[in-house]
């Protein structure tokens, strides 16, 4: 740009660093708090510098849990969250890619009604039909199970739409070519379409993994056993409004641990994630 | 748009759509239908008998002042969250769009809060602004503010808005940055040659060109404030003190699952569904229009 020199540039740097500071401050506080003694924090005398209890706190958080409220090792909660997030990401991609394939590459009766049935699900998050969904999962005896955690969240159309749009851009010649090579529909799907969709699948996986890992209301409802709890539910159960009972260093360590996998995924897969996000949402 | 090259098969396509169709029918349509049916039923407190009561649940809901308060509150929260988060994100995106050294680093440092879960956001902020042990509460008290969001409803609402807006900054930032980068530099250069200073250039050229992005983000932010704030509210205030932070989604949860008032909860769900369908409809119309620009 024309007069983008000197002073203005410093202002831009300055504003960006303020933004980063605002964004990072709560996490800094969480990390610091997780290394200090609970008594100090409970007195409202938390220092802004790290304390000496880092290893102790994290060991207790991951392998033992709080001594009061839930007593469930956070390591176990993380495992539950991981299984749930992976099931949602893999499950949604798997069922969406084959249904998008059917809708794009076949003509069959009820094709459009089926497409619309799937498409409409895009509009309603699980929160608005929460109680009846809970009842159905209970009737199907899927409370406290990984299937119960994942399946209702797989029921939405975002991924189907994305794959449909992508398949429409795949040149028809590819299909003609594999047909000449004698490939049937399944072969074409497996040998040609799937490899072409690799980056789309990866971007979608990143977004769905974060979505799954961060679920809260649904797991809160359908898990009653402590050992089936996800980390997002566990952390809320650890905080009580009466201060004395809350073991803040452990809560903060849990918050840090709950952030690690999704933030890691976003930062490492930044390019894929940004592209996937802009493509799915727009 | 239709593909020219297609396969002929009678059964295969059905087999391919079957898994998704099954999941959608069982876990989406069945519960949605149940919600609609339930909203016309009245169940006694012990669940022993149910009777069909037409629109009584809805009528009762609209006669209830608390429900109107929840609606107003939800819209107020949405507006406050969207406005604060959008304006701050836009400022950051405009700065990050300049040719600066280290702009990739800035971008990385700003986008990660997208990945933080709402309950974790809630826990972080309630800890910082807890009346007795919060690090920031000390400074607020030093400023002479009697800070206690656990007792003061307005302060609790402020806390929710700050936390929810904080989480949404990164998302808005990403889309603003993408929007800014798609504005042709030649247009801005032409304005500069005509003698428009940076501020004027921003308001007369950049901002209007960015308006589709702003509108899109506004709708997304409202939907976010409606639903994704549940985790933040539940960890920070649980709808309280009183009902000062109870939004529509939180009310569905607390009336239906904690209060056992299923008919009313279902009627509220149905109203919410209609609201989301309208919002999504707006979004789609807009996206479609944008494609044909």
């Amino acid at each position: 740009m024309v007069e983008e020199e000197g002073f203005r540039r410093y202002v831009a740097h300055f504003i960006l660093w303020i933004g980063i500071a605002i964004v990072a401050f709560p996490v800094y506080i969480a990390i610091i708090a997780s290394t200090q003694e609970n008594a100090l924090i409970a007195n409202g005398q938390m220092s802004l510098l790290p304390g000496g209890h880092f290893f102790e706190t994290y060991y207790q958080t991951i392998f033992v849990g709080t001594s009061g409220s839930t007593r469930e090792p956070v390591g176990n909660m993380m495992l539950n969250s991981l299984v749930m997030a992976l099931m949602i990401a893999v499950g949604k991609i798997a069922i969406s890619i084959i249904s998008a394939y059917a809708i794009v590459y076949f003509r069959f009766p009820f094709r459009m009604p089926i497409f619309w049935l799937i498409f409409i699900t895009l509009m309603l998050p699980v929160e608005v039909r929460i109680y009846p969904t809970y009842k159905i999962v209970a009737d199907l005896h899927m409370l406290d199970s990984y299937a119960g955690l994942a399946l209702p969240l797989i029921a939405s159309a975002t991924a189907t739409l994305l794959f449909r749009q992508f398949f429409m851009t795949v040149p028809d010649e590819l299909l003609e070519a594999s047909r000449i090579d004698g490939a049937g529909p399944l072969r074409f799907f497996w040998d040609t379409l799937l490899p072409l969709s690799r980056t789309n699948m990866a971007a979608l996986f990143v977004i769905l993994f974060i979505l799954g890992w961060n679920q809260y209301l649904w797991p809160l409802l359908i898990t009653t056993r402590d050992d089936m709890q996800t980390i997002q539910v566990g952390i809320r159960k650890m905080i009580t409004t009466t201060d004395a009972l809350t073991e803040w260093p452990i809560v903060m360590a849990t918050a840090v641990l709950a952030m690690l996998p999704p933030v890691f995924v976003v930062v490492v897969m930044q390019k894929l994630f940004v592209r996937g996000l802009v493509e799915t949402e727009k | 748009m239709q593909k020219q090259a297609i396969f002929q098969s009678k059964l295969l396509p059905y087999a391919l759509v079957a898994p998704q169709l099954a999941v959608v029918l069982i876990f989406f349509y069945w519960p949605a239908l149940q919600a609609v049916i339930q909203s016309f039923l009245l169940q006694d407190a012990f669940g022993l008998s149910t009777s069909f009561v037409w629109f009584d649940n809805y009528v009762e809901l609209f006669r209830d002042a608390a429900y109107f308060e929840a609606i107003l509150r939800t819209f107020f929260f949405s507006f406050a969250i969207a406005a604060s988060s959008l304006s701050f994100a836009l400022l950051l995106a405009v700065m990050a769009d300049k040719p600066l050294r280290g702009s990739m680093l800035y971008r990385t440092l700003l986008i990660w809060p997208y990945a933080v879960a709402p309950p974790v956001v809630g826990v972080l902020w309630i800890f910082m602004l807890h009346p007795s042990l919060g690090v920031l509460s000390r400074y607020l008290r030093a400023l002479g503010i009697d800070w206690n969001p656990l007792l003061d409803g307005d302060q609790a609402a402020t806390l929710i808005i700050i936390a929810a807006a904080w989480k949404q900054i990164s998302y808005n930032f990403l889309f603003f940055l993408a929007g800014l980068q798609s504005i042709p530099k030649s247009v801005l250069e032409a304005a500069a040659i005509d003698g428009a200073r940076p501020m004027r250039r921003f308001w007369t050229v950049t901002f209007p060109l960015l308006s589709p992005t702003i509108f899109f983000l506004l709708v997304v932010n409202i939907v976010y404030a409606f639903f994704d704030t549940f985790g933040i509210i539940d960890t920070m205030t649980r709808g309280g003190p009183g009902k000062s932070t109870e939004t529509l989604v939180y009310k569905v949860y607390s009336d239906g699952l904690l209060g056992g008032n299923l008919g009313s909860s279902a009627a509220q769900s149905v109203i919410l569904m209609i609201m989301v369908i309208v919002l999504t409809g707006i979004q789609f119309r807009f996206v479609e229009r944008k494609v044909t620009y």
Side-chain angles (χ1 to χ4, degrees), chain A residues 13 99 117 170 179 216 236, chain B residues 3 6 20 29 106 234:
Chain A
H13 280 289
S99 68
L117 268 179
V170 173
R179 215 183 246 157
Y216 176 63
R236 122 94 197 238
Chain B
K3 275 261 177 208
I6 51 163
Q20 180 156 34
Y29 284 98
Y106 286 135
D234 198 42

Side-chain angles (χ1 to χ4, degrees), chain A residues 1-4 8-9 12-13 15-17 19-20 22-27 29-30 33 41-42 44-46 48 95-96 98-99 101-102 104-109 111 114 116-125 127-133 136-137 140 142 151-152 155-156 160 167-168 170 172 175-176 179 184-186 188 207 210 214 216-217 220-221 232 235-236 239 243 248 251-252 255 258-259 262-263 266-267 270 273-274 277-278 281-282, chain B residues 1-9 12-14 16-17 19-21 23-32 34-35 88 91-92 95-96 98-101 104-120 123-128 130 132-133 135-136 138-139 150 166 169 171 174-175 178 185 188-189 192 196-198 201 213 216 227-228 230-231 234-235 238 249-250 252-253 257 262 265 269 272-273 276-277 280 283-284 287 290:
Chain A
M1 202 79 294
V2 199
E3 62 273 79
E4 222 70 276
R8 277 182 181 281
R9 212 170 268 197
H13 280 289
I15 292 176
L16 284 167
W17 279 110
I20 290 164
I22 290 176
V23 153
F25 187 69
V27 178
I29 293 293
I41 295 172
Q45 289 172 326
M46 190 193 139
L48 290 178
I95 65 170
S96 298
I98 56 173
S99 68
Y101 177 57
V104 173
Y105 282 95
F106 292 88
R107 294 284 164 276
F108 54 96
R111 187 177 74 105
I114 288 173
W116 281 105
L117 268 179
I118 295 170
F119 180 79
I120 288 171
T121 60
L122 198 66
M123 299 186 183
L124 298 174
E127 280 84 354
V128 300
R129 55 197 151 86
I130 196 79
Y131 180 73
T133 313
I136 281 158
V137 169
L140 295 171
M142 291 206 284
L151 283 175
S156 108
T160 318
F167 291 163
M168 299 301 266
V170 173
D172 286 352
L175 175 65
E176 306 291 3
R179 215 183 246 157
L186 290 176
F188 169 72
I207 290 167
I210 295 167
N214 287 352
Y216 176 63
L217 177 55
L220 175 70
L221 289 182
Q232 315 294 350
I235 195 174
R236 122 94 197 238
I239 56 170
D243 317 337
W248 285 104
V251 174
M252 287 297 129
M259 273 186 270
V263 169
V266 163
V267 171
Q270 208 188 131
F273 154 75
V274 170
L277 192 68
V278 174
E281 306 280 343
K282 273 203 169 172
Chain B
M1 239 201 327
Q2 297 246 316
K3 275 261 177 208
Q4 292 308 313
I6 51 163
F7 285 109
Q8 298 299 333
S9 174
L12 187 62
Y14 292 106
L16 291 172
V17 292
Q20 180 156 34
L21 211 54
V23 170
V24 162
L25 288 176
I26 297 171
F27 295 104
F28 183 91
Y29 284 98
W30 190 8
Q34 289 280 328
F88 191 57
L91 175 71
L92 292 176
M95 296 302 148
K98 292 175 196 267
L100 297 175
R101 206 177 304 145
M104 265 315 279
L105 176 73
Y106 286 135
R107 199 163 139 167
T108 308
L109 289 175
L110 283 168
I111 65 168
W112 60 266
Y114 167 83
V116 181
V120 173
V123 167
L124 291 179
W125 283 88
I126 194 73
F127 180 67
M128 286 199 301
H130 192 283
S132 61
L133 47 84
V135 176
L136 294 180
R138 285 184 228 166
Y139 302 110
L150 299 182
W166 176 85
I169 290 172
Y171 182 92
L174 267 180
F175 278 89
K185 292 284 171 270
L188 289 165
E189 270 155 23
R197 306 285 306 151
R201 276 207 306 267
T213 310
F216 165 79
F227 299 104
D228 288 348
F230 179 88
D234 198 42
T235 41
R238 298 185 196 173
V249 173
Y250 205 88
V252 170
Y253 167 77
L257 285 138
L262 301 183
S265 173
S269 288
L272 266 180
M273 285 187 210
V276 189
I277 288 173
T280 318
Q283 197 175 322
F284 269 101
V287 171
K290 222 189 118 194

Side-chain angles (χ1 to χ4, degrees), chain A residues 11-233:
Chain A
V11 172
H13 280 289
F14 180 69
I15 292 176
L16 284 167
W17 279 110
I18 293 202
I20 290 164
I22 290 176
V23 153
F25 187 69
V27 178
Y28 173 76
I29 293 293
I31 295 170
I32 295 297
S34 68
T35 64
Q36 296 186 0
E37 241 179 294
N38 194 24
L40 209 67
I41 295 172
N43 286 336
Q45 289 172 326
M46 190 193 139
S47 134
L48 290 178
L49 296 169
H53 296 266
F54 179 85
F55 290 105
E56 203 184 311
T57 310
Y58 281 86
Y59 179 84
Q60 204 202 331
T61 308
I62 295 171
F63 297 105
V64 186
T66 54
S67 39
S69 41
T70 58
R71 292 178 204 197
E72 192 59 29
V74 170
N76 186 31
M77 296 179 193
M78 291 183 83
L79 192 70
N80 290 337
S81 289
L82 184 72
V83 173
M84 178 186 174
L86 288 177
M87 277 179 74
I88 291 174
V90 174
K92 205 158 164 168
I93 289 174
I95 65 170
S96 298
I97 198 166
I98 56 173
S99 68
Y101 177 57
I103 285 164
V104 173
Y105 282 95
F106 292 88
R107 294 284 164 276
F108 54 96
F110 304 112
R111 187 177 74 105
M112 282 325 273
I114 288 173
F115 175 71
W116 281 105
L117 268 179
I118 295 170
F119 180 79
I120 288 171
T121 60
L122 198 66
M123 299 186 183
L124 298 174
V126 71
E127 280 84 354
V128 300
R129 55 197 151 86
I130 196 79
Y131 180 73
T133 313
Y134 171 80
K135 201 164 165 289
I136 281 158
V137 169
D139 290 346
L140 295 171
H141 302 289
M142 291 206 284
L143 296 179
D144 286 316
S145 75
Y146 289 124
L149 277 170
L151 283 175
L153 295 163
I154 289 177
S156 108
T158 31
T160 318
L161 277 180
L162 187 76
F163 284 126
R164 177 180 173 269
Q165 258 160 344
F166 172 68
F167 291 163
M168 299 301 266
T169 67
V170 173
D172 286 352
E173 287 76 13
L174 279 176
L175 175 65
E176 306 291 3
S178 43
R179 215 183 246 157
I180 291 166
D181 290 346
L186 290 176
R187 184 128 235 152
F188 169 72
F189 176 72
W190 194 255
D191 287 349
T192 313
L193 217 48
L194 220 50
L196 283 175
S197 320
R198 221 181 278 145
T199 42
N200 280 290
M201 283 163 77
L204 204 58
F205 180 86
V206 172
I207 290 167
L208 292 175
F209 178 83
I210 295 167
L211 189 92
W213 179 273
N214 287 352
Q215 280 303 318
Y216 176 63
L217 177 55
W218 183 244
L220 175 70
L221 289 182
I222 79 141
T223 54
T224 52
R225 284 187 358 230
D226 279 348
D227 64 318
M228 277 304 291
Q229 229 164 84
T230 64
I231 191 165
Q232 315 294 350
V233 176

